[in-house]
Amino acid sequence: MLAGRLLTSYDEKLSRWLAWSTESRSRASILLILLCLVLFVPGVFSRPPVDRTEVRYAISARIMLETGDWLVPRDQKGAEVGRPVGILWLQALSAKLFGPETHDAIWAYRLPSLLGATLAVLFLFLGMRSIVGDQTAFCASVLVAHSLFLAIQARLALPQAGALAAAVAVQTSLARLYVGRDRLSSSCRNRAVLFFWIALGAGILLNSFIVPILAAATLLALFIQDRSLNWFGGPSHLLGLLLAILIALPWPLSFWLSIADPTPDPVLSLVAWLSLIADSQSMNYRAFPGSYILMAWVGLLPCILLVWASCQLAWQNRDKLVVRFLAAWFVPYIAVLEIISNKPPLYMVQYVLPALAVAVAMRITDNPLTGTPTPVPAPLWSRIAWILLGIFLGSAALGLHMSVGEPLSAQLVIAAAAVMILFTATAVAWPYCSPLASTSFSLAGAAVAYWLVIAIILPPSSPVWPSVRLAEVRDAVRSCYPEPPIIAGYSEPSAVFLMGIETTITTGSRVLDQLNATPRALAFIELKHRAEFLDALRESDSKKPVRVGCVSGRNAFSSRRWQHFEIYAKPPLPSDPACTLPVRYQCLD
């Protein structure tokens, strides 16, 4: 059969390419860095502010940069208790590196996440290659790079990607100490210990105590298994601990100064305080039992067909030190999340994905621990389900684009079709070639899907970005209305970030007072607050503001409804033609 021969040939070429890629550490590292850039860069520069939390981090970094206060994170209201200063330093320095004109560009604050995601992938390869072999470590790093969660976090101005890099460095250092306990030289052991502590301190600085919690849970699980932690001992720990304290010290200092500041909300509950210790933000997320286990599985989206077979292999080799370590990395941390976490899996589950990826890579590559991989059975029903998943991913992307009235382009249709074809290719190829070769089609399909959804679907010109529309209006006539804008009925942080941290968020009844105080400002009033504004207007003796334009947008990521704004300005209106709003922002009634 021609298809079978072609797939067999592809399998052989892929095996040769994998061997060539891992012939040297430098070549493999360069290839992984290039892969990360291809996977993560699309969307970093083009996508407007999406996540509310990333905007809050960017605002804090921007205030830190502009005020010069590098120890107390702040937003418009005052000090932000618990927000880690490490990631804010990186974001502020990134924006400073590219100059003042980038201070209101969200991409400048996303670059540390891009760097952190790339380092997480690279650290996994460098840390595990001596334990599971170059090809298996390389394959595991490729799987992590294609992870659904990392695809998101690498493009958002959040601490998670940077903290993941620190977590991978910590865990792989522990793995080297545990698995190589009898063969590590004294110098190698000292380096691993120091790297462990340095990465632990960096993890605290970047995202509070989540990395130490992961490491402590792993050590506890290993102690329960072995009844000993003698392998973890050594004289280098004292120096390493001192280095970790020195690196992490700015975060507790910042925490203390933030508490001493009179502006934070004093009514933080005990649960919220404990939550801030475990991660840099308190949320009221409530998940059903087992949701974190499920999302850890979903997080390895391109290779989830291999997870069960990988678990079987791990069970068969449960006496091997590396398998015991991977179990200690995954099981206790997931148990902690299931019991106490109040944060969505997007913020928490990624720290165990490298352990799963290594287990999967051991199942599909030749390595010194489990030997040559055997075929992985994939029942017909699972392959049909995989084909349907690819069809769903491609169709959902197009449906999302069309649901907000955006026209389809040939580029979008081709990309969506490619996702469907590549996922189908995995199901078709499975009986004819190795699991590694068949899964490679899904890896490519996932890469196209991420590019399609994150970089192409819903372009910046789409009405799903109300904050972008408001900022465009303000920028078009900024020279005529230079004072900070006023917004009533819309409190998205992205609007504050794009229009300036001096932006006033208020209610319709108070807009007139704000306009009287800043007569060279534009006021954006959401229609639900229009009645309050008109009531205040009727009772006022001052000059009546004039409606100068209208703008609409669909807030698809929070309220999920269309929001319509009327734009008002105080008379006399500037006579300069440059002060007239573009036609698309003229009111139709």
Side-chain angles (χ1 to χ4, degrees), residues 420-465:
M420 300 178 193
I421 292 170
L422 288 166
F423 271 76
T424 300
T426 292
V428 173
W430 205 278
Y432 301 102
C433 57
S434 69
L436 175 60
S438 56
T439 302
S440 67
F441 295 113
S442 288
L443 293 175
V448 176
Y450 301 153
W451 173 70
L452 174 64
V453 173
I454 299 176
I456 298 182
I457 293 293
L458 307 180
S461 59
S462 171
V464 301
W465 314 109

Side-chain angles (χ1 to χ4, degrees), residues 299-477:
L300 287 176
L301 175 62
C303 56
I304 60 178
L305 286 176
L306 296 164
V307 171
W308 175 245
S310 303
C311 291
Q312 290 178 315
L313 180 70
W315 179 255
Q316 294 165 6
N317 294 272
R318 59 188 180 276
D319 58 323
K320 290 185 169 62
L321 291 179
V322 65
V323 174
R324 294 163 72 87
F325 181 83
L326 294 177
W329 185 341
F330 178 83
V331 174
Y333 178 76
I334 286 292
V336 169
L337 294 186
E338 292 285 354
I339 295 170
I340 67 171
S341 182
N342 69 345
K343 300 176 180 66
L346 171 64
Y347 295 97
M348 307 301 292
V349 167
Q350 72 276 1
Y351 299 107
V352 296
L353 292 182
L356 286 178
V358 172
V360 172
M362 289 172 59
R363 182 63 182 86
I364 60 178
T365 59
D366 191 356
N367 63 83
L369 298 169
T370 57
T372 303
T374 57
V376 177
L380 179 61
W381 67 265
S382 66
R383 288 186 281 134
I384 293 175
W386 199 248
I387 293 173
L388 295 176
L389 175 62
I391 294 173
F392 169 77
L393 290 174
S395 303
L398 296 181
L400 175 64
H401 196 72
M402 296 171 61
S403 66
V404 295
E406 292 290 335
L408 293 181
S409 65
Q411 185 184 34
L412 290 174
V413 174
I414 292 172
V419 173
M420 300 178 193
I421 292 170
L422 288 166
F423 271 76
T424 300
T426 292
V428 173
W430 205 278
Y432 301 102
C433 57
S434 69
L436 175 60
S438 56
T439 302
S440 67
F441 295 113
S442 288
L443 293 175
V448 176
Y450 301 153
W451 173 70
L452 174 64
V453 173
I454 299 176
I456 298 182
I457 293 293
L458 307 180
S461 59
S462 171
V464 301
W465 314 109
S467 297
V468 175
R469 304 283 75 76
L470 298 182
E472 283 181 352
V473 171
R474 200 284 174 104
D475 289 343
V477 292

Side-chain angles (χ1 to χ4, degrees), residues 100-391:
E101 63 276 7
T102 65
H103 290 184
D104 59 353
I106 191 63
W107 62 262
Y109 302 89
R110 289 172 174 166
L111 293 183
S113 295
L114 176 64
L115 175 63
T118 303
L119 289 177
V121 172
L122 190 60
F123 287 164
L124 183 63
F125 168 70
L126 296 175
M128 297 301 294
R129 57 189 294 267
S130 63
I131 299 173
V132 296
D134 290 279
Q135 292 191 17
T136 301
F138 184 85
C139 181
S141 299
V142 170
L143 297 181
V144 169
H146 285 82
S147 162
L148 173 63
F149 288 172
L150 202 58
I152 297 173
Q153 292 169 357
R155 295 170 167 90
L156 295 179
L158 295 172
Q160 276 71 31
L164 178 61
V168 170
V170 165
Q171 295 297 98
T172 53
S173 298
L174 279 180
R176 292 187 65 195
L177 292 170
Y178 181 72
V179 179
R181 60 176 75 177
D182 298 324
R183 62 176 186 270
L184 278 183
S185 66
S186 177
S187 59
C188 288
R189 170 174 288 277
N190 289 337
R191 283 198 300 270
V193 168
L194 291 178
F195 198 51
F196 167 82
W197 285 109
I198 290 171
L200 199 72
I204 295 173
L205 190 64
L206 288 170
N207 201 21
S208 60
F209 288 108
I210 190 65
V211 176
I213 288 173
L214 174 66
T218 303
L219 287 169
L220 178 61
L222 292 173
F223 175 77
I224 292 173
Q225 290 184 87
D226 301 342
R227 298 293 190 271
S228 173
L229 288 179
N230 290 336
W231 55 270
F232 190 57
S236 300
H237 283 287
L238 179 59
L239 175 60
L241 177 61
L242 292 175
L243 288 174
I245 293 173
L246 184 63
I247 293 170
L249 188 60
W251 183 76
L253 178 60
S254 169
F255 196 94
W256 177 260
L257 293 175
S258 300
I259 294 173
D261 192 284
T263 54
D265 182 1
V267 196
L268 279 174
S269 67
L270 177 61
V271 173
W273 281 97
L274 293 176
S275 177
L276 289 174
I277 291 175
D279 192 67
S280 54
Q281 55 209 320
S282 177
M283 298 181 177
N284 295 318
Y285 180 80
R286 293 293 178 267
F288 58 85
S291 62
Y292 291 97
I293 297 175
L294 174 62
M295 293 310 294
W297 175 64
V298 172
L300 287 176
L301 175 62
C303 56
I304 60 178
L305 286 176
L306 296 164
V307 171
W308 175 245
S310 303
C311 291
Q312 290 178 315
L313 180 70
W315 179 255
Q316 294 165 6
N317 294 272
R318 59 188 180 276
D319 58 323
K320 290 185 169 62
L321 291 179
V322 65
V323 174
R324 294 163 72 87
F325 181 83
L326 294 177
W329 185 341
F330 178 83
V331 174
Y333 178 76
I334 286 292
V336 169
L337 294 186
E338 292 285 354
I339 295 170
I340 67 171
S341 182
N342 69 345
K343 300 176 180 66
L346 171 64
Y347 295 97
M348 307 301 292
V349 167
Q350 72 276 1
Y351 299 107
V352 296
L353 292 182
L356 286 178
V358 172
V360 172
M362 289 172 59
R363 182 63 182 86
I364 60 178
T365 59
D366 191 356
N367 63 83
L369 298 169
T370 57
T372 303
T374 57
V376 177
L380 179 61
W381 67 265
S382 66
R383 288 186 281 134
I384 293 175
W386 199 248
I387 293 173
L388 295 176
L389 175 62
I391 294 173

Side-chain angles (χ1 to χ4, degrees), residues 556-569:
F557 297 96
S558 52
S559 66
R560 295 179 178 84
R561 65 181 179 85
W562 282 92
Q563 294 189 277
H564 306 279
F565 301 85
E566 291 186 342
I567 308 166
Y568 286 84

